[in-house]
Amino acid sequence: MKAATIKHFFRILCLLTMACSLSGCIYWIRAYQTYLQMDEFDRHFTIVTTDEFTLKFKDPILFSKDFVSLSRLYASEDDPTLEGRRWRYWFRKVDVNNKVIAPEVKFYFDLNFNKEEKIIGWSFSSLFLQIAPAKFLEVSLRSIGGAEIDTEKQQLRANSQLIDKITEDLPKKPAVLAQLGEPMEITDEGDIEVYMYHFLLETHHIEKGYEDRALSEVKLTFDKKTQDLVRMSGRFAGLKVSINYRKFLNEPSG
């Protein structure tokens, strides 16, 4: 049996294990089919970068109802477009009591759907790109094609070894703080320090039992010596994101 066939077999096995352990498993199957498309990234997706970062779906599979079923959250805004609809999710910086901080710091991501209610675009605002720069966001998305599936945690663990590395400057702490302001908490961990921020999703309805998903705890890890942002992790509308930026960089030549 060829390696590719074995890999595909185990993916199907993981899918069945995950689906059998979940209710409403049809949307997980469509999510899994979208994941399989990542193996041929350029065939199924296009990336457009302006002041936003947009992942465009050439062969859309996921429906709007699938995203709600996966996240258990609703968008801040729901507006008609020429192609279908646009959902905008607003995240606002809050204090320890979940009160919006002034002056306001906020970012968004958009989901665009066609008239069949299938997702055709996923955009991230310019402020989000301050903590997840476009080139790193792209390479992390491409790495999902080789990701391992954790059926217990229902997560993907991207494999940075399977993609080409990039040459890019890491964001510096002063530039990041100029955009996000002071953190809620700073943790000293030797050679690094972790800055924690809280952002609250503006939403009109939260399903009972999932209230905690509206709160995004964002952790930014800075190298003390270089002041580089080396890692970002957080949860945004139920979507867990963790990027170790150094794993995607070319090693400096001797």
Side-chain angles (χ1 to χ4, degrees):
M1 188 180 293
K2 294 182 179 180
T5 304
I6 295 173
K7 182 180 180 182
H8 186 70
F9 170 78
F10 277 105
R11 282 180 171 176
I12 295 298
L13 182 61
C14 288
L15 169 63
L16 292 175
T17 302
M18 186 181 294
C20 289
S21 65
L22 298 168
S23 59
C25 61
I26 294 299
Y27 62 79
W28 277 105
I29 292 174
R30 288 193 286 263
Y32 183 78
Q33 290 172 331
T34 301
Y35 156 73
L36 289 181
Q37 290 181 329
M38 291 287 182
D39 269 351
E40 298 180 277
F41 191 92
D42 293 312
R43 177 181 175 183
H44 298 290
F45 304 94
T46 301
I47 287 175
V48 177
T49 303
T50 54
D51 59 330
E52 295 181 336
F53 176 98
T54 301
L55 176 68
K56 293 193 172 183
F57 296 66
K58 296 179 182 178
D59 306 297
I61 295 174
L62 282 170
F63 289 89
S64 57
K65 62 183 179 181
D66 295 331
F67 193 84
V68 173
S69 295
L70 289 164
S71 68
R72 305 290 182 173
L73 295 170
Y74 292 85
S76 312
E77 301 172 3
D78 180 359
D79 299 309
T81 64
L82 292 176
E83 295 176 297
R85 303 201 70 82
R86 185 204 70 185
W87 287 3
R88 173 160 291 184
Y89 292 77
W90 277 111
F91 300 85
R92 290 178 166 81
K93 183 182 176 183
V94 294
D95 62 19
V96 69
N97 297 312
N98 291 342
K99 301 297 183 182
V100 174
I101 291 175
E104 189 176 57
V105 177
K106 61 182 180 180
F107 65 87
Y108 65 82
F109 70 70
D110 289 344
L111 293 176
N112 287 283
F113 303 94
N114 60 20
K115 296 188 184 301
E116 296 177 341
E117 298 185 8
K118 290 184 177 181
I119 183 171
I120 56 174
W122 192 354
S123 299
F124 300 84
S125 71
S126 57
L127 183 63
F128 187 83
L129 299 183
Q130 297 296 317
I131 59 174
K135 286 188 177 181
F136 289 99
L137 197 52
E138 176 177 350
V139 77
S140 63
L141 286 169
R142 288 180 177 274
S143 71
I144 292 175
E148 298 176 2
I149 301 176
D150 187 326
T151 54
E152 183 178 347
K153 295 182 179 179
Q154 299 162 16
Q155 295 176 354
L156 298 176
R157 187 181 298 276
N159 189 344
S160 61
Q161 301 302 315
L162 300 180
I163 60 172
D164 294 331
K165 301 300 177 72
I166 62 175
T167 301
E168 183 75 4
D169 291 332
L170 291 167
K172 296 292 186 180
K173 184 169 71 172
V176 174
L177 295 185
Q179 296 292 324
L180 297 187
E182 291 301 314
M184 177 182 297
E185 179 182 305
I186 301 175
T187 305
D188 190 316
E189 298 184 6
D191 294 335
I192 60 173
E193 51 188 0
V194 180
Y195 281 46
M196 184 174 71
Y197 294 85
H198 279 183
F199 291 86
L200 190 64
L201 172 66
E202 177 189 327
T203 180
H204 63 83
H205 174 72
I206 302 177
E207 188 172 331
K208 187 176 181 180
Y210 294 91
E211 293 83 0
D212 63 320
R213 291 196 179 186
L215 184 65
S216 299
E217 183 179 273
V218 180
K219 293 183 178 180
L220 306 179
T221 302
F222 295 98
D223 184 297
K224 284 185 181 179
K225 182 178 179 180
T226 65
Q227 300 287 285
D228 288 337
L229 173 62
V230 296
R231 183 191 292 269
M232 182 274 287
S233 64
R235 186 176 65 183
F236 310 95
L239 175 69
K240 293 182 179 180
V241 178
S242 181
I243 307 176
N244 185 338
Y245 296 120
R246 284 176 171 164
K247 287 187 177 181
F248 297 119
L249 290 175
N250 280 314
E251 294 293 336
S253 56

